[in-house]
Amino acid sequence: MSAQANNPAEPDAPASVSPEPSAVGRYNVEIGLEAFQDEDYDTALQVFTEGAMIGHAIAQYNLALMYQQGIGTEQNFERAMQLYALSAQQGIVRAQFNLGVMYDQGQGIEQDYREAYYWYEQAAEQGDADAQYAVGTMNFYGQGRAENFTEAMRWYQESARQGHRDAQYNLGVLLISGLVGEPNPTAAMTWFTLAAEKGSVDAQYNAALMYATGQGVTRDAAQARDYFTQAAEQGLRDAQTRLGILYATSDQDGLPRDYEQARYWFNRSAHRGDATAQFFLARIFADGLGVEQNLSIAHMWYELAYRFGYEHAVSSLERLRAEMDEESTLQARLMAARWMRAYAEQNPDSVRITRIPDDAVDAANENPDESTDSPANDSNNLPD
């Protein structure tokens, strides 16, 4: 379980309320806002520019937003930063937060965590939940100041109480990790559940693990399945694998085994390179669990699992080969080689290759009459 890094909120919408000094009291920012909402960006840009020039804080903020996002004008981070700074100095909370984001991400200026922290903190102290989350995360990772888990927890609590999803998740991580006081899995589960309900895939996964193991909550396989399913449907590979394992091994707490569902989720995860899912998918085909037995497909997935780092798959391969003839084995190796090649082309930086010794394949390689399309050549031309 790991804390999530700063992930700024969705882009802001133009603001309309500001404590304005009497010098700009006659300026009407609503004209610009109405034009913006009508997608008359030329008028909005003109009106906000006029307001910014006379020091209207909200006009400065809205104009900065248009420059930052490239709405109605060319994107200009430097200009956006200048305008956010003017607005932030007048106390506009979202200008303070957005200025922090720009320093944090190095937009329009060299990345500067100290300045980012300063402006996030200004907004956080005014109660902005996004800024409170950002300050918590910078304390967690030691960005802009020394690592401080106690401060991180304080700010996460402030943000989480306002319903900030990622703050709720990170607060759960701190509570279960014991980085601040004794581990409190029960409290952690509360925050994971709240974040999971808001769609946090990591919170859904953690809640599922806790229900599966009975950590901080009564063990409940059905609840674990439901949370794993939510995370798996969002594409979390580990959740897809764990969901497959749950379906393949359950026969308790009212949750029957379902090899069809297990195969479905193992297949999704296996095709994304998960070695554990590849291994269990191989077992399903090797033993004919809920599917017609197919030793060649089982061999392919065992081989792929080993190539992706599942060391125990090699012993399963050896047992399987004792049941297969040479032609079937070579065919299985060809399928694995083609699969691996396609995967490597799509994921060039993520493939771990482990060559599996095979006497039959090695003997075929020594035959100069073998074509370049042979299983032996396909297998051994994989990148090392």
Side-chain angles (χ1 to χ4, degrees):
M1 299 182 183
S2 59
Q4 295 171 336
N6 272 340
N7 184 19
E10 292 298 314
D12 290 323
S16 61
V17 179
S18 172
E20 295 297 335
S22 58
V24 294
R26 287 176 293 179
Y27 170 77
N28 188 358
V29 73
E30 296 295 335
I31 296 174
L33 289 168
E34 290 175 5
F36 188 95
Q37 291 166 359
D38 293 339
E39 298 184 2
D40 181 2
Y41 297 128
D42 289 340
T43 298
L45 194 69
Q46 178 183 346
V47 172
F48 292 150
T49 299
E50 292 172 355
M53 291 179 65
I54 61 173
H56 193 284
I58 287 298
Q60 291 166 342
Y61 167 79
N62 290 344
L63 186 59
L65 199 65
M66 294 184 74
Y67 277 116
Q68 184 188 22
Q69 298 180 21
I71 300 174
T73 184
E74 289 187 10
Q75 192 173 56
N76 188 327
F77 288 141
E78 292 184 4
R79 182 64 177 143
M81 172 163 273
Q82 293 167 357
L83 289 161
Y84 278 140
L86 291 171
S87 182
Q89 289 164 5
Q90 296 192 63
I92 303 303
V93 65
R94 292 307 292 183
Q96 294 169 342
F97 173 75
N98 286 2
L99 188 57
V101 170
M102 298 192 79
Y103 275 114
D104 192 355
Q105 299 185 348
Q107 293 181 342
I109 197 169
E110 186 176 351
Q111 187 180 59
D112 188 331
Y113 287 139
R114 291 178 65 86
E115 281 294 318
Y117 189 98
Y118 173 81
W119 288 110
Y120 282 148
E121 190 174 40
Q122 296 301 304
E125 289 175 348
Q126 291 200 65
D128 185 272
D130 292 324
Q132 291 166 345
Y133 165 75
V135 172
T137 300
M138 295 192 84
N139 275 287
F140 187 96
Y141 287 106
Q143 296 172 328
R145 60 177 47 203
E147 183 182 273
N148 189 325
F149 296 130
T150 301
E151 275 292 285
M153 177 172 282
R154 180 172 78 87
W155 286 111
Y156 283 148
Q157 287 173 331
E158 293 292 330
S159 182
R161 287 166 182 156
Q162 295 195 64
H164 193 287
R165 186 191 72 181
D166 292 341
Q168 292 171 340
Y169 168 76
N170 283 5
L171 181 56
V173 170
L174 277 173
L175 286 165
I176 202 169
S177 67
L179 292 172
V180 182
E182 292 296 317
N184 189 338
T186 302
M189 186 62 168
T190 298
W191 292 110
F192 286 146
T193 300
L194 288 170
E197 290 172 353
K198 293 182 174 68
S200 168
V201 65
D202 293 314
Q204 290 164 351
Y205 181 73
N206 286 356
L209 282 177
M210 294 176 76
Y211 271 117
T213 60
Q215 184 181 15
V217 68
T218 302
R219 189 174 181 277
D220 189 326
Q223 284 279 33
R225 175 201 58 198
D226 292 345
Y227 278 118
F228 276 137
T229 300
Q230 291 175 30
E233 288 177 344
Q234 288 202 67
L236 187 65
R237 194 182 71 177
D238 288 346
Q240 293 169 348
T241 300
R242 290 300 299 255
L243 186 57
I245 292 172
L246 194 62
Y247 275 117
T249 60
S250 288
D251 195 11
Q252 54 192 347
D253 302 328
L255 187 63
R257 284 191 179 92
D258 187 333
Y259 289 122
E260 184 176 351
Q261 280 293 313
R263 186 175 76 254
Y264 172 79
W265 289 110
F266 284 144
N267 188 64
R268 287 188 62 174
S269 184
H271 277 286
R272 297 173 62 197
D274 185 88
T276 301
Q278 291 166 346
F279 177 80
F280 282 107
L281 188 58
R283 286 189 60 182
I284 282 178
F285 281 102
D287 296 339
L289 301 174
V291 68
E292 184 178 352
Q293 186 183 50
N294 190 316
L295 300 187
S296 294
I297 293 178
H299 186 292
M300 179 191 77
W301 285 116
Y302 276 139
E303 180 173 343
L304 291 171
Y306 182 77
R307 290 185 183 278
F308 276 85
Y310 201 98
E311 300 291 338
H312 296 298
V314 73
S315 60
S316 298
L317 267 175
E318 291 171 354
R319 289 193 298 271
L320 195 64
R321 283 176 182 169
E323 304 177 38
M324 299 172 64
D325 58 32
E326 182 177 336
E327 182 180 353
S328 297
T329 300
L330 289 174
Q331 181 64 29
R333 297 297 303 276
L334 174 59
M335 290 191 296
R338 287 175 172 169
W339 190 98
M340 181 66 82
R341 180 166 292 165
Y343 184 89
E345 289 173 354
Q346 296 174 13
N347 306 273
D349 299 324
S350 64
V351 180
R352 174 187 182 273
I353 302 299
T354 303
R355 185 179 184 280
I356 301 175
D358 185 291
D359 293 340
V361 174
D362 290 341
N365 275 335
E366 293 173 2
N367 186 347
D369 295 329
E370 289 287 345
S371 71
T372 55
D373 292 329
S374 71
N377 280 309
D378 268 351
S379 175
N380 290 284
N381 284 339
L382 290 172
D384 291 326

